[in-house]
Amino acid sequence: MPQDFADLHVERWRDHWIEVDFDDDVEAMTVRIGALHRYFKASTQRALAEVGLLESEYETLHHLMIRDTPGKASPGDLASDLGVSGAGMTGRLDVLEKRGLVKRTPGTDDRRRVDIEATRAGVAIWRKAMALRGDAEDDLATALSSAELKTLNKLLKKLTLHAESRLDG
Amino acid sequence: MPQDFADLHVERWRDHWIEVDFDDDVEAMTVRIGALHRYFKASTQRALAEVGLLESEYETLHHLMIRDTPGKASPGDLASDLGVSGAGMTGRLDVLEKRGLVKRTPGTDDRRRVDIEATRAGVAIWRKAMALRGDAEDDLATALSSAELKTLNKLLKKLTLHAESRLDG
DNA sequence: ACAAACTACTTCGCATACGAATTATTCACA
DNA sequence: TGTGAATAATTCGTATGCGAAGTAGTTTGT
C-alpha cells in the first residue's frame, strides 16, 4: 500500500524531531482523523458553493434542522449547540432572516423568547446541500467494504465513548 | 456496548428525516470523525490555555516547526500551508513577533522575501504545548489495544488515500 | 538596457464573531 | 405583592481574517 500524507508526516517528524517523542501510531491516527475532517469540510464547502450558502449559514440551518424539534428552536439553544456566542447567533439569524431562510417570531407565553423557524425556502436549500454532501461522503466510503466500514465504526466508537466519558465525568 | 453520540444522532435522524436518506454507517462514521476532531481540538485548546498561547498563535508556530526546514519559512509558504490569506499571515506574524516567539529577517538575495524564524522562546513554548497535547492523545488511544490501533490506522488510511486521490486527480 | 509581467509581502476597508453591557421579561420568596 | 436574582435576546466596542489594492523588488523578452 502506498504512503499517505500521515505516513509522510510521521516519517518527517521522526527525522527532525526525535527529541519530542510521540507514539507513531497515535500520531498517524490523529493526523488521519484531521485529514478526513478537512476532506469532509472541503466537500461540504463545494456543495454549499453550488447551492449558494455560506458555511455559517449552512451550519446554522443544519443545526436548526437536526434538532429534536426539526426546523424550530430558540436563538440561545442554537448558539450553545453551535458553540457560538449569543451575539454571533443574533448576527447569523439576521442574515438568514434577510435571505428569507428562517423566520423570527416573538414568543407568546414568555415574551423574552424568540422562536426561530426554517421557512420552506430554508428547508429546500438545506436539503439540496445535504444531498450533495451525502454524495461526497458515500463516494469516500466506497474505499471500504461494508464489513470494513462496520469494523471502522466499531473502533471509532470505542474512541468516541472514551472521549465522551472524559468530557462528562 | 452503550450508545455514543453518533448512535443517538443516527437514530434521531432516521426518526425525523426518513425522506433524506443516508447510509446509517456512513453517516455514523462521518459524525464520529467530526466528534473526535472536536475532542482533539478541545484538548489542544486546554493545553494552549495552560502554556498561554492562542490557537492562531499555536497553529502558526506549529506549522513553522513541522516543515521540512523546521523553524524557518517564508510568510507566503506558511499562509498557504495554513490555508489563511497573506494578509492574515502578516497579522499573525505581527502578534508572534511582538511576543518574541518568531523573528522576521529581510531576505538578502531576494529582498522581496522575509524569513521567519522561531526564536528560542517560541520553540520552548511550542514544545510545552506539544507535550500536553500528546498526553491527551495518548490518553484517548488507551481506549484501543495496540492491535486495534493498527487496524484502525489501516482502515483510516484506505480512506485518506481515497481522499487524496480525489483531491489530486 | 528597459518596459512589462510577475512575485512577495503589507496596508486598507469590510465582514464576522466575541465578550461585556443593555434592555426586557420572568421567577423566587420574604 | 414587591423586590432582587435570573434569563433571553440584542446592541456595542474590539479583534481577527478576508479580498483587493498598494508597494517594493525580480525576472523575462526583445
Side-chain angles (χ1 to χ4, degrees), chain B residues 1-124:
Chain B
M1 184 145 48
Q3 290 196 315
D4 68 352
F5 175 77
D7 288 324
L8 294 172
H9 167 86
V10 168
E11 206 171 82
R12 193 170 57 181
W13 184 266
R14 224 190 290 108
D15 285 354
H16 291 302
W17 298 103
I18 20 177
E19 69 270 35
V20 178
D21 73 339
F22 274 65
D23 181 298
D24 282 1
D25 291 328
V26 173
E27 181 68 15
M29 175 195 76
T30 308
V31 170
R32 287 192 176 111
I33 287 173
L36 290 171
H37 175 79
R38 270 194 303 285
Y39 181 76
F40 286 136
K41 200 170 157 182
S43 23
T44 297
Q45 229 141 17
R46 262 194 304 284
L48 296 187
E50 216 160 306
V51 302
L53 278 176
L54 296 176
E55 185 160 15
S56 59
E57 293 171 327
Y58 167 74
E59 210 184 14
T60 309
L61 217 40
H62 186 60
H63 274 78
L64 182 58
M65 298 308 288
I66 66 172
R67 319 199 93 242
D68 275 335
T69 57
K72 294 184 184 185
S74 73
D77 291 344
L78 280 174
S80 66
D81 275 14
L82 281 158
V84 307
S85 69
M89 187 47 63
T90 296
R92 287 186 180 200
L93 292 173
D94 286 349
V95 173
L96 285 172
E97 193 176 34
K98 205 163 291 175
R99 288 194 59 181
L101 302 179
V102 304
K103 198 164 68 88
R104 274 190 176 101
T105 318
T108 49
D109 53 336
D110 182 342
R111 302 211 310 281
R112 287 171 306 181
R113 289 176 177 280
V114 170
D115 288 332
I116 305 300
E117 192 167 353
T119 63
R120 187 174 290 274
V123 174

Side-chain angles (χ1 to χ4, degrees), chain A residues 2 4-5 7 12 16-17 19 25 32 65 68 70 127 139 148 150 153 157-158 160 164 166, chain B residues 2 4-5 7 12 17 19 25 32 65 68 70 127 139 148 150 153 157-158 160 164 166:
Chain A
D4 69 351
F5 175 77
D7 287 325
R12 190 171 58 182
H16 290 301
W17 297 103
E19 70 270 33
D25 290 328
R32 288 192 176 110
M65 298 308 289
D68 275 334
R127 280 203 197 171
D139 170 75
E148 283 174 326
K150 288 214 186 300
N153 262 316
K157 185 170 171 180
K158 286 197 179 190
T160 53
E164 285 173 17
R166 281 285 181 276
Chain B
D4 68 352
F5 175 77
D7 288 324
R12 193 170 57 181
W17 298 103
E19 69 270 35
D25 291 328
R32 287 192 176 111
M65 298 308 288
D68 275 335
R127 281 204 195 171
D139 169 75
E148 283 174 326
K150 288 216 185 299
N153 262 315
K157 185 170 170 180
K158 286 197 179 192
T160 53
E164 286 174 16
R166 281 284 182 276

